[in-house]
């Protein structure tokens, strides 16, 4: 499971954190507001209240490798640039930055941002799946729980036709079209071209499949799995709530 870091807990970061926390708690959260840290500390593995501009504190917190960092600092643009630059120096490969100014987008990319977003919940809904799975290259909610996604062909479909994989029955997803890996490698202009699915075509490594299905099914198909430890923690929390409610009913009855 990938390791996530949230630097600043603005509305965009909170939208993403809440969704990622449904899958894993391998999350570091830092903010200069104690109330925000208190709000998320049960959802993450580590949470710190700190001055985000303190370089020594920053390096102490991020001493272990991080795969994806989400930056949502509700401050001046200079602070966002500095935080992004420090994450880049620390070797974080994917840095997603919330910016309130399109003027800063180019600067943010220059100092290390791999994605810059300017909206909140809608952006979080579309981007969160992309950071949960390296196999997802694009993701779009369509209606209700139905989504459309581009997924790099998983190993278990390679060398098989769409009929042989039986994806609709076994994985509850439908393949709509495919970008052929060979075509993409030979012709760069074909990078974004999907082809109609030929039922006799055997999937190859590097193919990108355009699939539809429920969000949960697309997640599983693309390799996003809730960790057993995370599931256990969620179950234990549920049991605790039921236990507390039961004790409260008994106390009220005695009264």
């Amino acid at each position: 499971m990938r390791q996530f870091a949230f630097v600043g807990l603005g509305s965009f970061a909170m939208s993403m954190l809440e969704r990622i926390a449904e899958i894993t708690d391998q999350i570091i959260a830092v903010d200069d507001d104690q109330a925000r840290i208190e709000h998320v500390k049960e959802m993450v593995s580590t949470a710190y209240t700190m001055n985000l501009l303190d370089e020594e504190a920053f390096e102490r917190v991020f001493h272990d490798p991080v795969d994806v960092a989400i930056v949502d600092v509700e401050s001046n643009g200079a602070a966002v640039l500095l935080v992004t630059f420090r994450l880049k120096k620390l070797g974080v490969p994917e840095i997603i930055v919330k910016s309130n100014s399109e003027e800063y987008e180019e600067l943010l990319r220059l100092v290390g941002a791999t994605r810059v977003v300017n909206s909140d919940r809608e952006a979080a809904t579309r981007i969160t799946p992309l950071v949960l799975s390296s196999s997802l290259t694009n993701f779009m909610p369509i209606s209700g729980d139905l989504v459309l996604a581009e997924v790099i062909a998983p190993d278990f479909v390679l060398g098989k036709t769409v009929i042989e994989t039986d994806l609709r029955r076994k994985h509850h997803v439908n393949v709509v079209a495919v970008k052929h890996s060979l075509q993409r490698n030979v012709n760069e202009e074909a990078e974004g071209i999907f082809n109609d699915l030929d039922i006799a075509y055997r999937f190859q490594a590097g193919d990108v499949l355009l699939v539809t299905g429920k969000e949960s099914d697309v997640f599983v198909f693309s390799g996003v799995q809730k960790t057993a430890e995370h599931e256990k923690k969620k179950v234990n929390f549920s049991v605790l709530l039921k236990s507390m409610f039961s004790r409260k009913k008994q106390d009220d009855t005695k009264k």
Side-chain angles (χ1 to χ4, degrees), residues 160-202:
K160 300 177 181 177
T161 68
V162 69
I163 294 176
E164 290 171 344
T165 58
D166 199 10
L167 296 178
R168 183 180 298 178
R169 185 178 66 85
K170 292 181 178 179
H171 298 275
H172 313 294
V173 298
N174 293 301
V175 179
V176 178
V178 59
K179 289 182 190 176
H180 301 303
S181 60
L182 181 60
Q183 184 182 28
R184 293 168 59 219
N185 292 335
V186 172
N187 182 5
E188 291 184 1
E189 293 182 359
E191 179 68 26
I193 298 176
F194 275 101
N195 300 275
D196 291 337
L197 182 63
D198 181 348
I199 60 172
Y201 175 73
R202 295 187 179 277

Side-chain angles (χ1 to χ4, degrees), residues 122-136:
E122 180 181 356
T125 299
R126 295 188 62 174
I127 292 174
T128 301
L130 304 184
V131 301
L132 283 168
S133 172
S134 57
S135 296
L136 274 169

Side-chain angles (χ1 to χ4, degrees), residues 37-86:
I37 291 298
E38 288 294 324
H39 179 71
V40 304
K41 68 180 184 180
E42 297 299 327
M43 295 186 279
V44 304
S45 59
T46 313
Y48 297 99
T49 304
M50 58 173 273
N51 178 357
L52 300 179
L53 300 183
D54 185 332
E55 186 171 9
E56 290 186 4
F58 203 88
E59 291 180 353
R60 284 198 301 271
V61 169
F62 296 107
H63 55 83
D64 291 328
V66 170
D67 297 300
V68 183
I70 294 88
V71 180
D72 188 3
V73 179
E74 294 185 341
S75 183
N76 58 66
V80 178
L81 288 169
L82 185 57
V83 166
T84 304
F85 177 67
R86 286 176 176 165

Side-chain angles (χ1 to χ4, degrees), residues 60-119:
R60 284 198 301 271
V61 169
F62 296 107
H63 55 83
D64 291 328
V66 170
D67 297 300
V68 183
I70 294 88
V71 180
D72 188 3
V73 179
E74 294 185 341
S75 183
N76 58 66
V80 178
L81 288 169
L82 185 57
V83 166
T84 304
F85 177 67
R86 286 176 176 165
L87 289 168
K88 180 67 175 179
K89 280 178 61 180
L90 292 172
V92 179
E94 190 167 357
I95 305 171
I96 299 167
V97 184
K98 169 63 166 43
S99 173
N100 293 319
S101 171
E102 293 184 5
E103 296 176 354
Y104 271 88
E105 181 168 345
E106 186 174 352
L107 289 173
L108 285 165
R109 292 188 183 280
L110 286 173
V111 298
T114 55
R115 293 178 187 268
V116 180
V117 295
N118 296 300
S119 60

